[in-house]
Amino acid sequence: KLHPVILSGGSGTRLWPLSREQYPKQLLALIGDETMLQQTALRLAGFSGRLPVSEQPLVVCNEEYRFITAEQMRAAGCPTNHILLEPVGRNTAPALTLAALTVRRDSDDGVLLVMPADHVIRDREAFHRAVDLGIEAALAGAMVTFGIVPERAETGYGYIRVGDEASPGIHAVSSFVEKPDAETAAEYVASGAYLWNSGLFMVKAGVWLKALAHFNPEMLAACESALESAGRDADFVRVGREAFQACPSDSIDYAVMEKLAATPELGIVPQVVPMSVGWSDVGAWDALWTLADKDDDGNSGRGDVMFEGTTGSLVHATSRMVVCLGVEGLVIVETPDAVMVARKDQTQDVKKIVARLKSDS
Ligand code: GDD
Ligand code: MG
């Protein structure tokens, strides 16, 4: 079976003031009526590929968000009794490991499709085709990534150097570099030899656990013991606090992906399915403006919003009316306790404000 694994543990501070510690990005409806978590849960609806999709997606999130997460899954028509609750965040590698250990109870060969809960994919059919290709590679024992043609020298992404074609639509990964510095990222983009890592992965449960046993046995042991000491209540699996707190923190990318390409003797080949699916990780407000439906003047409004003589702007109002008169290229986000007015090309700097707010409090 194909087991969707939804990673829903991040906070997405670059969409402040809408995303907050109490209300992270994946739980918000930023585009369309569904939240990003719900869109992720629905992403495989209608999939008819070489494996049937499990009716019980695994969602891994912080225990603080258990009720809203369960409620959003139910409301989207994707209820699940596999919500794994982390007492603390330990980044994505332990989150995936908890899911892999859960799936392995039934079968080593269960294929995991790891999906970040806070991404947008516009072309669902093209995505299904990419997933179907990925299944072939994963069943053969590969660690599969999905690559996106890079648009800029983004330093927040992983870069995949594309190797030879292994089978139609599937390539070897000759190296994987997570979050390079700006100069290196620019070189990679200019070379045309690299793809962005989309952050989706596909791998058999047993293959992931074998890779982790090799690269970070301590993490594997901590996750095993966290599940052994887990408690079940309703649809939730509360992993053991003490064991999980002791787990080393690392991402899938650093803990395993970067190392795999350099360790052929392990026998787990990293591969990449290049895909063109309208992918975005909605990293900041300007990305949201790019994705949003806009009127003839390039404006996008959510909530009680009026535009007059305004162009290229995004307004998100949650509790009051917002009127824009004769302005250009602004992002305005209104919430009950904070209002942000920014030039669209400076919205990346929101993280500086969030950092300042944190250090002040
Ligand atoms: N359950 C759980 N627990 N989920 C987590 C945790 C955690 O501790 N930390 C992060 N996540 C979730 C986030 O909510 C997000 O959906 C996903 O895992 C990826 O984490 P990010 O923190 O957003 O990673 P990133 O954006 O820095 O980098 C990853 O994504 C890029 C593409 O957007 C990497 O895979 C990069 O290589 C990739 O290019
Ligand atoms: Mg991210």
Side-chain angles (χ1 to χ4, degrees):
K1 268 198 191 158
L2 179 62
H3 299 269
V5 175
I6 302 179
L7 301 180
S8 186
S11 63
T13 48
R14 280 175 298 179
L15 293 180
W16 186 91
L18 210 56
S19 61
R20 304 286 180 98
E21 253 161 48
Q22 298 87 341
Y23 228 94
K25 175 180 156 200
Q26 60 270 21
L27 302 176
L28 299 168
L30 294 168
I31 293 193
D33 297 330
E34 289 127 4
T35 66
M36 303 195 77
L37 171 69
Q38 290 175 318
Q39 290 182 9
T40 308
L42 292 166
R43 196 151 285 150
L44 282 174
F47 178 78
S48 60
R50 30 202 117 190
L51 281 181
V53 180
S54 161
E55 313 77 66
Q56 302 286 346
L58 292 111
V59 182
V60 193
C61 68
N62 189 277
E63 62 184 12
E64 203 183 323
Y65 305 119
R66 62 192 180 280
F67 293 122
I68 179 146
T69 299
E71 179 45 35
Q72 288 195 3
M73 293 294 288
R74 213 179 352 255
C78 314
T80 177
N81 58 18
H82 275 78
I83 303 181
L84 304 175
L85 302 179
E86 300 164 315
V88 287
R90 286 292 178 260
N91 212 327
T92 52
L96 166 53
T97 304
L98 294 173
L101 288 167
T102 305
V103 167
R104 193 182 59 179
R105 285 182 190 146
D106 294 323
S107 162
D108 247 8
D109 292 329
V111 174
L112 312 176
L113 173 59
V114 182
M115 298 186 283
D118 56 354
H119 290 181
V120 166
I121 287 179
R122 293 228 114 171
D123 186 345
R124 204 190 273 181
E125 278 170 31
F127 176 64
H128 288 187
R129 287 194 295 276
V131 168
D132 199 31
L133 278 173
I135 291 175
E136 190 191 331
L139 283 174
M143 172 83 188
V144 183
T145 59
F146 296 86
I148 309 286
V149 175
E151 290 165 14
R152 53 179 192 280
E154 169 69 53
T155 54
Y157 293 163
Y159 284 75
I160 297 167
R161 188 175 172 93
V162 182
D164 295 339
E165 193 167 51
S167 59
I170 305 172
H171 288 257
V173 169
S174 42
S175 70
F176 185 105
V177 180
E178 178 68 1
K179 299 187 178 33
D181 60 34
E183 202 181 317
T184 312
E187 271 168 36
Y188 287 171
V189 175
S191 76
Y194 289 80
L195 295 173
W196 279 343
N197 174 35
S198 65
L200 289 105
F201 299 94
M202 196 183 279
V203 63
K204 286 201 279 195
V207 170
W208 168 260
L209 295 170
K210 181 182 168 195
L212 196 69
H214 183 80
F215 294 121
N216 198 332
E218 200 194 328
M219 181 183 284
L220 178 58
C223 289
E224 275 169 340
S225 119
L227 271 184
E228 273 156 26
S229 52
R232 251 234 175 242
D233 83 67
D235 296 336
F236 305 118
V237 178
R238 279 173 192 277
V239 313
R241 175 177 293 275
E242 236 171 278
F244 201 69
Q245 255 166 350
C247 183
S249 173
D250 207 353
S251 70
I252 298 168
D253 320 275
Y254 285 122
V256 170
M257 275 317 302
E258 279 197 334
K259 296 175 179 138
L260 264 187
T263 317
E265 63 277 16
L266 193 60
I268 301 173
V269 286
Q271 293 187 327
V272 57
V273 178
M275 65 176 187
S276 171
V277 297
W279 172 88
S280 168
D281 71 347
V282 201
W285 286 106
D286 57 337
L288 195 65
W289 175 82
T290 306
L291 288 164
D293 292 328
K294 295 174 276 285
D295 66 18
D296 292 344
D297 299 317
N299 298 317
S300 167
R302 263 187 103 102
D304 197 359
V305 179
M306 281 174 78
F307 295 109
E308 183 63 48
T310 292
T311 53
S313 294
L314 174 82
V315 179
H316 202 117
T318 69
S319 60
R320 285 164 286 183
M321 182 185 201
V322 175
V323 177
C324 284
L325 256 176
V327 298
E328 197 186 312
L330 291 187
V331 171
I332 300 175
V333 184
E334 179 274 334
T335 73
D337 62 345
V339 177
M340 179 188 77
V341 178
R343 238 171 59 189
K344 201 167 65 214
D345 58 4
Q346 298 223 324
T347 50
Q348 298 279 348
D349 290 344
V350 167
K351 55 177 188 263
K352 293 186 190 163
I353 299 294
V354 174
R356 264 165 67 184
L357 287 169
K358 267 198 187 139
S359 67
D360 291 352
S361 65

